[in-house]
Amino acid sequence: MSYQAPLNDIRFLLNDVLGVNQLHELPNYSEATPDLIDAILEEAGRVAAEVIQPTNRPGDTEGCQFHPETASVTTPTGFKEAYRQFVEGGWTALDAPVAYGGQGLPHTLKFVVDEMMCSSNLSLGMYPGLTHGAISALHEHGSDALKDTYLEKLISGEWTGTMCLTEPQCGTDLGLIRTKATPADDGSYRIEGTKIWITGGEHDLTDNIVHLVLAKLPDAPKGTKGISLFVVPKVLPETGERNPAWCGGLEHKMGIKGSATCVMNFEGAKGWLVGQPHDGMRQMFTMMNEARLMVGMQGLGLAETAFQESLGFARERLQSRSLSGPKNPDGPADPVLVHPDVRRMLMRQKVLNEGMRALALFAGQQLDLSIAHPDESVRESADDLVQILTPVVKAFLTDEGFNNANTGLQVLGGAGFTTDWPIEQLVRDGRIARIYEGTNGIQAMDLAGRKLALKNGRLIRNLFKTMTGFLSDHEDAAHREGLKHAIRTLEKATTWIGENGPSDPEQVGAAATPYLRLTALTVIAYLWSRQATTAQRLLDAGAGQTDLLKAKQTSAQYYFDKLLPEIDWLLADIRDGKASLMALEDDQWAV
Amino acid sequence: MSYQAPLNDIRFLLNDVLGVNQLHELPNYSEATPDLIDAILEEAGRVAAEVIQPTNRPGDTEGCQFHPETASVTTPTGFKEAYRQFVEGGWTALDAPVAYGGQGLPHTLKFVVDEMMCSSNLSLGMYPGLTHGAISALHEHGSDALKDTYLEKLISGEWTGTMCLTEPQCGTDLGLIRTKATPADDGSYRIEGTKIWITGGEHDLTDNIVHLVLAKLPDAPKGTKGISLFVVPKVLPETGERNPAWCGGLEHKMGIKGSATCVMNFEGAKGWLVGQPHDGMRQMFTMMNEARLMVGMQGLGLAETAFQESLGFARERLQSRSLSGPKNPDGPADPVLVHPDVRRMLMRQKVLNEGMRALALFAGQQLDLSIAHPDESVRESADDLVQILTPVVKAFLTDEGFNNANTGLQVLGGAGFTTDWPIEQLVRDGRIARIYEGTNGIQAMDLAGRKLALKNGRLIRNLFKTMTGFLSDHEDAAHREGLKHAIRTLEKATTWIGENGPSDPEQVGAAATPYLRLTALTVIAYLWSRQATTAQRLLDAGAGQTDLLKAKQTSAQYYFDKLLPEIDWLLADIRDGKASLMALEDDQWAV
């Protein structure tokens, strides 16, 4: 594996298309100068390629090991040292609050770094990844005492954090949680219960692990309104005592074998309430929304590595002659890159990957604006976009990240199916991203069933305004008609849901998955139009980088020609409604 | 795993829709009475569920083991005994020639049995699967002496066979083969060279293995016109001597770990020419075409098992309430089967699986007619359909079989990603089927670049005639307009290729993959129309099986509503042509 961070594409998006390099004009981000951003990109690319990447294969072959006698977990060879270097480089602190030792840089940069780390070793990236969510939840909802105790060490990477939500009887439906929290005399709580699929629940990278645990107080109302959030450290910071929060074993999984997926038994472990009682779902969503964006970057990161591998293979592998005459007449055959059907696979990877990166970084930029812009109305509309794009980034980037990794495998043919090449691992690793932090079906319901209705539909209206605003501001917008058609198609679908959903919520459920996909394809069309428009402007200005800019134009053309037309099918599916989907009676499924 | 062969669906297709139970009216198949067919289905279902299925998980966990000191391979626990029972049941002889101990039954039955075996253990099914191709090649092209020496023991399953094609420098492009065959004084040849990815190249299921090897004679013309086919037994039948055809190691793979994928070193091994010199490609295609149809059944078989698993899970797993009010009010939540988005996944699996089964059995029926019908014109048009449908069955059933297995995994959520459930193995196992026996891109080129042009386009015209003939014969055809639209769409695409391909073969290459997919969706539309029409007829006649027949009507409706509309996108892609696909220059790929 010889991953190289796609720095030129990232720079083009950040600097030329989105203008993320202007964020330093906001008071909060005054340190994020273009020079600093560029230095961070370079160094992150180096760390990903040189420090993280070499641990990826051992992580898969060895996996994590559970030692029942001590309830401990060892990570694969190299993880500890790579994590140490990652921490020492300050990468866990990048966008964390300055008051607790963070660097306070824009979140968009964190997105970029996440992509690179997931390209290099998804399993290893999970440990700091989940920690980041714990930091945010504590920072946003915790008392000063909790923040003072935990934040600095989580931000520095000295400790890691977890999200303990799932139990055997409940994943999606957290209202069914059984873990109990009983108040103790000293203001703390005793946590009792079993959590499953806890990423980084136990490991040997750090001395302490800070669990954020959903549990029910004795007087809790039924369902999700009765869930509270607790901090439960593995080792009590005050005394150094071991808290009875034990790993009961590891899951055996299709992929991400270097990520310790733990059963966690809380056996009267000491915990502290975060924020108010029964407010756990809201607090959990602070972690979850952030995790969803990060998981989207996982899908993209794996797809980028797969693309690089398959492109390299297609340039090297000589097989058959080009249909338009030999391209490598002195060799025994032409590189398979010349064959239209191989190019179809590579173009799909390239164009969708770059489109997904644009979508993610656009969402990241909106996140930064929603936090740091001095104008409240800008903050609010940016937040609208973040809210509506979060499920889209999570679901579309993991679905298509997986599909693109899988397409990369196909380019390699039989070689891709062997463990001699890294792609089959990328496919296996990426499969989970469509499931965890809310399955992609749940993302679709979040979008179509919840986000569309928020604030009387303002979120999606703001999205439309952003896209049509671009068209009004740019008479020379590339692929103008294609983008207008996409916007109209998404409007029709939105109208259909608005008309049919209120009287029959199952219609929303039936429409949700194609609607999310339609939204993603439309926003990516908007971002391809922006990229192609920018490329033309820079070409006209003779700005150099001609190959990149021309490739952007071709890629945009490919997107509008070959990929975007799926939206008509999606609209037809949505408008067809739920009838045939819901018609089978119970006895008619298997007959 | 608790696979049950889908006998009712198979019976409906064979007896009610296709009329395969009438094949006994042909002299060659007089023994294939409806009663015998039914007994075979029952027994095959029992063997698959009770004998084969229990070996599937150990096959994956243990894999095959290579022993370098003896160049031998041991198969996983249980394979030997299961293979013995499979052989003793006569399953290797089902459709093999009677003259050599076969049962001479219709090939369609073999298709059905293939599906069941691949549902139960794809890896184990590969050993007799490849043998079958060796039998056909020898039977069709071998001398009487070769047939007398090998056929009986291959058919009885006492020996197995292989296809030795691929070499390190050539997979798709067999013209680059380097393996040499040197004539010896006794009329045999000495084979020298290395073959890779040889399924069943070495194992412990049988005492002898019969390799069919592509190699070049000293005077061979360059390229594919200089390839000859040789029989190279592991043990020489005359003397019992070990032939120097050694396994040099096993591939380490993403899946089908119980299938021994061997490097084979032929070190002056004794071989015999099959048929004429330099005629190896044609003979190879006898094996290959058969293998392609079988590989299609692999995709379907895995998808069927995944569907059964995910349906079972969706019925049992309680999570959240139905959007239309509680369906399981006494339980803590409703089964996830009630949620529209879960049903979307299950309906996709059910409707596509049944459609793919119909397509495969229709192709099987045509294969039988092409061989056994007394009327030459019937034989010829049936052969046209077999030829044009072979790449379609191979590619579409493995693509969508994989996608459906993957969809089944998604229904299980996190559970599906663990090895506690069988689906992740099905996904990994099924990944190879899109690659071997010609990648699916090669299948698309075979269809669009070769089969369309054969006999001046007669093959595809016969396919159109079959479909429009059904509409003329059945004024009451269900989904008449939808099917007509699909046929017209396929006609338009065919015309476009006919108009653009001759002057620019790269246009065919660009169109190939969407064209194959469009063909598959159209033929499946034809077969869903036939199924729904048959269901209505039987319901009108009060024939019983009401649940199955109503499910068929709902499924057909779903297919025409939700899945078939993809064809408009495919046609748009085809007509858009190669421009943006071929535009990137070499330096513009990674910039």
Side-chain angles (χ1 to χ4, degrees), chain A residues 200-217:
Chain A
E202 184 59 53
H203 59 75
D204 58 359
L205 301 181
T206 58
D207 295 332
N208 203 1
I209 300 169
V210 181
H211 304 291
L212 286 175
V213 184
L214 289 185
K216 295 200 151 186
L217 290 165

Side-chain angles (χ1 to χ4, degrees), chain A residues 436-511:
Chain A
Y436 59 20
E437 316 309 350
T439 64
N440 287 358
I442 291 295
Q443 305 301 320
M445 282 304 290
D446 179 47
L447 174 66
R450 197 169 153 269
K451 298 289 171 64
L452 279 190
L454 281 186
K455 303 183 188 171
N456 282 318
R458 203 186 74 184
L459 278 54
I460 186 81
R461 278 201 306 278
N462 258 325
L463 182 61
F464 282 124
K465 211 191 291 175
T466 304
M467 297 190 288
T468 52
F470 167 73
L471 286 174
S472 316
D473 294 349
H474 295 81
E475 294 209 345
D476 61 343
H479 306 286
R480 189 177 189 85
E481 290 311 312
L483 176 54
K484 277 165 73 177
H485 173 67
I487 294 171
R488 273 197 305 270
T489 306
L490 182 60
E491 280 168 349
K492 285 177 191 166
T494 310
T495 303
W496 191 92
I497 291 176
E499 286 172 357
N500 292 275
S503 61
D504 186 352
E506 281 186 345
Q507 291 286 18
V508 184

Side-chain angles (χ1 to χ4, degrees), chain B residues 57-69:
Chain B
R57 182 65 188 277
D60 186 56
T61 349
E62 291 177 29
C64 289
Q65 305 298 326
F66 176 62
H67 309 283
E69 62 285 359

